[in-house]
Amino acid sequence: MKAQFGIIGLATMGQNLALNIARHGFSVAGYNRSPERTKALMERVQDEPILPTYSLREFVVALKTPRAILLMVQAGKPVDEVVSELFPLLEPGDLVIDGGNSHFSDTERRIREAQSRGLFYLGVGISGGEAGALHGPAIMAGGDQEGYVRVEPIFKSIAAQGLDGPCVGYFGPGGAGHYVKMVHNGIEYAIMQAIAECYDLLKRGLGFSPPEISEIFSEWNQGELESYLLEITVNILRTRDPETGGFLVEAIKDTAEQKGTGKWSTQDALDLGAPTPTIAEAVFARIVSALKEERLAAERILAGPEPRLPIPPGEFLMDLKRAYALAVVTAYSQGFRQLRDATAEHGYDFPLAEVARVWTGGCIIRARLLAEMREAFRREPSLPLLLLAEPFRQFWKEGHESLRNVVCAAHKAGIPVPAMSSVLNFLDAYRTGRLPANLIQAQRDYFGAHTYERLDKPGKFHTHWEEASRC
Ligand code: 6PG
């Protein structure tokens, strides 16, 4: 019997997806370059229909035609290496699915290559980490629609259940699926950074212990702010270090790594001219965190205030919760805005309500608020900024003073809050009808004759500033 589905790349994500797919009744052939991982998968198999293979050729022959093959290999060169070995072994009509975090432009290139060989190719963002892969991820697909239709039943059966069904979406041709996943990760970075800033303010600013902070976050997580990222943070903060007996989080080195999706999201936002400063700040915050040695040296040179918040904790906690809520809604607002802007530039056409629906379950940024986000985009599909719609504008109304209090207090105490202060800067700029950019235009025209527009009449104007300023 030939297998209905194939997976190349059997690290944890690949193994877990193989088990998930097989447990839903689809037979799976697995292949990994180093056989140890294939063997490790087979040790986990009970009675799931999984067939191990030990060469690419054996793998290809083991699959029912037309084949459907999921690549779960590291993004970048490893995907190109597998693709260049695999494509020549396939037949027209076969389907290759890249389930890693590939850059959307790499996916577009590989789709062209696949099409020239008569193959179908999908770029699919799979979110939810190891547990999601095993029990139900969110799946953001893009690429050849004909290929997608073939594997949709498998995706739907293995995905998490969210609002109105499985968290699976087809978001259009080319790299659309990987684009949505990239922006998902940008939002993920911003929310993680906002949570980390709250933790720092509570820890260094108010002297709370990890389990006390865990309790606070747990209370936040009871209501409309309920989210996966908050939930895991609650658990992290109460976890003990078996080696020292202290809290494990305090033993972890304060340098955040990154695989690139947040950076790519920001790079493309810059190319598009999409306003995602909070996502960008979260990427820069990771970059600064990585400069551990330099930070330790600078700590001794650049003295600053004591990182203490001289505020009654009760009052501050109310402000912090509202500030956090506004920061989270802004992170999503910026991400959805990027998806909207990418439509014109990259030729995608993201149905934002459907993106929000797919994110209601399985993925890392799943949160209760996504149901309301979906409604907001259903009412107004091309809403420029989520925060302009109800109920999200309430987050501004009820939260902006609190955010000001938090950011001011943090700045005074010398505690960095790049995500939260960027939220405030962004929203204050966005709601200001007249910004000081008129002066920037005048400066550009002064030194570069770049011209400027006027408020009172149409056209482009240039002034000989040296001359004119002498009169
Ligand atoms: C997900 C995660 C997942 C992974 C990221 C982490 O949606 O399941 O986003 O894709 O954890 O690769 O990215 P960084 O290494 O860049 O933090």
Side-chain angles (χ1 to χ4, degrees):
M1 276 293 281
K2 299 218 171 194
Q4 290 160 287
F5 195 80
I7 300 187
I8 298 179
L10 298 174
T12 317
M13 286 291 287
Q15 285 187 23
N16 285 2
L17 283 166
L19 289 165
N20 188 354
I21 293 170
R23 282 173 195 169
H24 283 88
F26 302 97
S27 51
V28 177
Y31 169 72
N32 194 81
R33 193 177 299 240
S34 60
E36 288 71 31
R37 289 204 159 136
T38 314
K39 287 178 190 146
L41 167 63
M42 294 320 290
E43 273 163 28
R44 296 175 65 194
V45 167
Q46 291 173 334
D47 51 7
E48 295 90 351
I50 297 185
L51 181 73
T53 64
Y54 294 94
S55 77
L56 206 51
R57 206 167 281 279
E58 185 197 348
F59 169 80
V60 168
V61 170
L63 289 168
K64 222 187 214 157
T65 55
R67 300 171 182 85
I69 299 169
L70 175 66
L71 311 181
M72 289 305 298
V73 299
Q74 215 187 315
K77 235 174 117 206
V79 175
D80 281 323
E81 283 166 7
V82 173
V83 157
S84 68
E85 268 185 72
L86 178 66
F87 278 6
L89 303 179
L90 300 180
E91 294 166 83
D94 286 349
L95 166 67
V96 177
I97 307 157
D98 176 5
N101 278 331
S102 287
H103 193 282
F104 68 97
S105 62
D106 286 339
T107 302
E108 308 238 321
R109 170 173 55 76
R110 291 172 191 137
I111 285 179
R112 286 193 293 274
E113 161 78 14
Q115 281 170 347
S116 73
R117 293 169 176 270
L119 304 172
F120 295 113
Y121 196 93
L122 296 175
V124 172
I126 301 179
S127 179
E130 295 174 17
L134 188 61
H135 302 295
I139 300 178
M140 293 148 252
D144 293 311
Q145 192 162 17
E146 224 183 302
Y148 173 74
V149 170
R150 271 188 9 218
V151 284
E152 192 184 43
I154 300 183
F155 286 171
K156 285 196 166 161
S157 71
I158 65 158
Q161 286 296 317
L163 208 60
D164 289 346
C167 293
V168 179
Y170 171 76
F171 295 122
H178 277 146
Y179 198 93
V180 172
K181 177 58 169 46
M182 177 187 80
V183 173
H184 164 286
N185 282 26
I187 298 170
E188 172 184 304
Y189 273 49
I191 297 173
M192 289 166 79
Q193 178 61 28
I195 295 176
E197 290 170 16
C198 293
Y199 156 72
D200 201 16
L201 288 165
L202 293 169
K203 185 181 81 158
R204 289 199 295 150
L206 293 179
F208 286 174
S209 66
E212 285 170 332
I213 303 170
S214 171
E215 281 294 313
I216 293 165
F217 288 168
S218 169
E219 188 269 312
W220 294 4
N221 205 36
Q222 303 305 314
E224 62 182 357
L225 293 182
E226 183 193 333
S227 72
Y228 172 73
L229 282 169
L230 211 45
E231 177 193 318
I232 63 166
T233 311
V234 167
N235 293 340
I236 288 168
L237 290 169
R238 58 174 176 229
T239 302
R240 294 255 179 202
D241 177 6
E243 285 178 35
T244 63
F247 289 96
L248 184 53
V249 70
E250 301 297 356
I252 297 176
K253 191 175 173 190
D254 51 321
T255 55
E257 296 183 11
Q258 46 177 324
K259 293 212 189 85
T261 38
K263 179 183 79 179
W264 296 341
S265 193
T266 302
Q267 284 173 331
D268 198 59
L270 291 173
D271 286 343
L272 297 175
T276 63
T278 307
I279 293 172
E281 281 296 352
V283 178
F284 283 120
R286 289 201 190 185
I287 290 172
V288 175
S289 84
L291 308 174
K292 177 79 176 167
E293 297 307 315
E294 269 178 76
R295 289 191 284 113
L296 283 169
E299 194 173 46
R300 289 190 291 275
I301 303 167
L302 306 173
E306 266 296 298
R308 286 270 152 208
L309 300 171
I311 309 170
E315 205 176 295
F316 185 75
L317 281 179
M318 258 171 45
D319 275 341
L320 192 64
K321 184 177 179 183
R322 289 195 186 125
Y324 168 74
L326 181 53
V328 165
V329 171
T330 306
Y332 286 103
S333 298
Q334 292 179 8
F336 279 113
R337 172 53 183 258
Q338 179 166 352
L339 291 177
R340 179 180 180 269
D341 290 352
T343 298
E345 185 66 22
H346 296 304
Y348 299 140
D349 185 10
F350 295 123
L352 300 184
E354 177 63 0
V355 173
R357 189 197 69 77
V358 169
W359 289 349
T360 58
C363 70
I364 303 296
I365 62 168
R366 64 186 186 258
R368 196 186 285 191
L369 283 172
L370 276 155
E372 296 277 13
M373 295 183 196
R374 182 205 189 196
E375 283 314 309
F377 287 116
R378 267 183 156 181
R379 284 194 302 270
E380 203 182 333
S382 60
L383 181 66
L385 199 74
L386 185 64
L387 258 163
L388 296 173
E390 289 294 3
F392 300 104
R393 54 168 87 168
Q394 290 303 319
F395 282 80
W396 166 260
K397 204 165 159 216
E398 286 162 19
H400 77 94
E401 275 180 29
S402 292
L403 182 59
R404 289 179 206 290
N405 293 340
V406 167
V407 169
C408 281
H411 285 337
K412 273 200 154 168
I415 299 175
V417 284
M420 285 204 276
S421 90
S422 97
V423 166
L424 189 56
N425 277 321
F426 168 60
L427 294 176
D428 274 339
Y430 189 73
R431 63 178 195 88
T432 297
R434 180 140 173 89
L435 286 168
N438 48 331
L439 181 58
I440 292 171
Q441 278 302 85
Q443 291 164 332
R444 293 178 72 245
D445 188 54
Y446 192 123
F447 61 66
H450 295 296
T451 74
Y452 55 87
E453 289 175 284
R454 294 180 58 101
L455 290 169
D456 52 358
K457 50 185 175 186
K460 293 274 186 191
F461 300 90
H462 171 56
T463 296
H464 296 285
W465 291 93
E466 296 259 348
E467 228 175 278
S469 62
R470 258 188 254 116
C471 323

